[in-house]
């Protein structure tokens, strides 16, 4: 008996296969053909799990591209799936901050992993991984380099909360002679301000768990801890929270 969760995000697509004991995980770029990506993930994760088609009891689709998985037996919102997945990775989690490629969200959950409240930002690139991509492009560096650059300098103020205006602001700072290190630090503080603003719109309950691709950035996590005045935990597999939750829900695990 295997349950498969497929989370089609804007940048990365993730899959999880759960057999009641072990959670198998896989990730690949989403690409432009969401249906093809979903099909590839399904075949690959089934092979990794060692299972066969007949062993699969549920295929749960989630994420913004869940409607592009025609073979899914169920489709569940990413809010619900992230709540279950986060609790699986960190049973103490009661507040989830998830920052992905195109949206960010804060979710409050109860002791069983049920959603109590949530707020989502999916209308603006600020506070998302896309913001970091745009800023890195202006600085002519890779997104992963921003963290190391930022660690070397105090931040230059980037006041705009809009990604478009912030891009112009960064260009102006470069023209004025500001270093890439100080601008990178300013960028991480800027995105952290937006994430903190979203998180503060719900009642933050201990323990706080950081998921999504941006959770890999230790600088952002440290800045958020100062802004929210709490310890923020994460996990090496935090980016898989949505797929994990989908697989658990497909298996029939409610808590």
């Amino acid at each position: 008996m295997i349950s498969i969760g497929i989370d089609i995000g804007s940048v990365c697509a993730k899959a999880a296969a759960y057999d009641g004991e072990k959670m198998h995980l896989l990730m690949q770029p989403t690409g432009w053909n969401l249906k093809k990506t979903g099909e590839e993930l399904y075949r690959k994760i089934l092979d990794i799990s060692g299972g066969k088609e007949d062993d699969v009891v549920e295929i749960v689709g989630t994420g913004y591209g869940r409607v592009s998985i025609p073979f899914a037996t169920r489709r569940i919102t990413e809010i619900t799936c992230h709540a279950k997945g986060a609790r699986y990775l960190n049973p103490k989690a009661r507040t989830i901050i998830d920052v992905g490629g195109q949206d960010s969200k804060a979710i409050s959950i109860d002791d069983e992993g049920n959603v109590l409240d949530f707020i989502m930002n999916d209308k603006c690139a600020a506070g998302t991984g896309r913001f970091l991509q745009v800023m890195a492009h202006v600085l002519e560096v890779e997104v992963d380099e921003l963290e190391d650059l930022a660690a070397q300098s105090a931040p230059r103020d980037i006041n705009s909360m809009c990604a478009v205006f912030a891009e112009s602001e960064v260009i102006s700072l470069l023209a004025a002679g500001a270093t890439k290190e100080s601008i990178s630090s300013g960028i991480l503080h800027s995105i952290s301000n937006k994430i903190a603003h979203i998180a503060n719109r719900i009642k933050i309950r201990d323990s706080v768990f950081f998921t999504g691709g941006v959770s890999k950035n230790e600088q952002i996590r440290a800045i958020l801890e100062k802004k929210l005045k709490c310890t923020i935990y994460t996990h090496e597999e935090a980016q898989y929270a949505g797929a994990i939750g989908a697989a658990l829900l497909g298996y029939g695990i409610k808590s």
Side-chain angles (χ1 to χ4, degrees):
M1 178 177 171
I2 297 173
S3 173
I4 293 177
I6 299 177
D7 177 9
I8 304 291
S10 60
V11 176
C12 292
K14 288 79 66 178
Y18 184 64
D19 60 10
E21 294 183 1
K22 189 169 183 180
M23 189 73 70
H24 303 272
L25 303 171
L26 176 67
M27 183 188 306
Q28 70 180 54
T30 297
W32 64 271
N33 190 327
L34 306 189
K35 179 182 176 183
K36 181 180 178 181
T37 298
E39 291 171 344
E40 289 177 352
L41 279 173
Y42 172 69
R43 290 195 301 270
K44 290 176 181 176
I45 198 66
L46 187 60
D47 182 58
I48 290 171
S49 70
K52 299 178 181 179
E53 293 267 2
D54 292 344
D55 298 325
V56 179
V57 293
E58 286 271 24
I59 303 170
V60 179
T62 190
Y64 98 106
R66 63 184 179 275
V67 296
S68 301
I69 310 174
F71 55 90
T73 55
R74 293 169 65 190
R75 294 180 182 84
I76 302 176
T77 69
E78 57 195 279
I79 300 297
T80 300
C81 290
H82 270 84
K84 296 298 182 184
R87 188 178 183 279
Y88 174 85
L89 294 171
N90 184 342
K92 294 181 179 180
R94 294 299 178 269
T95 300
I96 303 156
I97 297 173
D98 179 77
V99 185
Q102 296 283 11
D103 63 44
S104 53
K105 45 194 166 290
I107 310 167
S108 178
I109 64 175
D110 64 16
D111 295 349
E112 304 301 320
N114 300 306
V115 177
L116 297 175
D117 192 15
F118 75 92
I119 186 74
M120 187 170 183
N121 167 44
D122 59 357
K123 304 298 182 185
C124 175
T128 72
R130 176 61 180 163
F131 178 83
L132 294 179
Q133 288 179 327
V134 171
M135 298 301 109
H137 178 73
V138 176
L139 292 179
E140 298 181 336
V141 301
E142 296 297 322
V143 172
D144 292 344
E145 294 180 67
L146 291 174
E147 183 175 1
D148 289 338
L149 288 170
Q152 301 174 43
S153 176
R156 289 294 296 261
D157 289 338
I158 296 175
N159 298 309
S160 178
M161 296 293 278
C162 170
V164 175
F165 294 141
E167 182 178 3
S168 297
E169 201 170 341
V170 168
I171 292 172
S172 296
L173 286 171
L174 285 170
T179 66
K180 288 187 178 182
E181 289 80 3
S182 65
I183 295 174
S184 295
S185 184
I187 288 168
L188 298 195
H189 277 78
S190 178
I191 190 175
S192 298
N193 282 336
K194 184 65 175 178
I195 297 168
H197 175 72
I198 293 167
N200 278 321
R201 293 176 65 186
I202 67 168
K203 182 179 179 181
I204 297 177
R205 306 170 66 237
D206 284 338
S207 179
V208 182
F209 190 58
F210 196 11
T211 66
V214 177
S215 68
K216 295 181 177 297
N217 192 303
E218 288 294 324
Q219 286 276 335
I220 290 177
R221 184 163 69 92
I223 296 168
L224 281 173
E225 286 185 329
K226 291 179 180 178
K227 291 184 180 299
L228 298 176
K229 296 180 175 60
C230 64
T231 301
I232 298 177
Y233 301 92
T234 189
H235 190 282
E236 61 183 359
E237 295 171 347
Q239 198 169 354
Y240 292 95
I244 290 172
L248 291 173
L249 288 165
Y251 201 83
I253 295 178
K254 300 184 183 301
S255 62

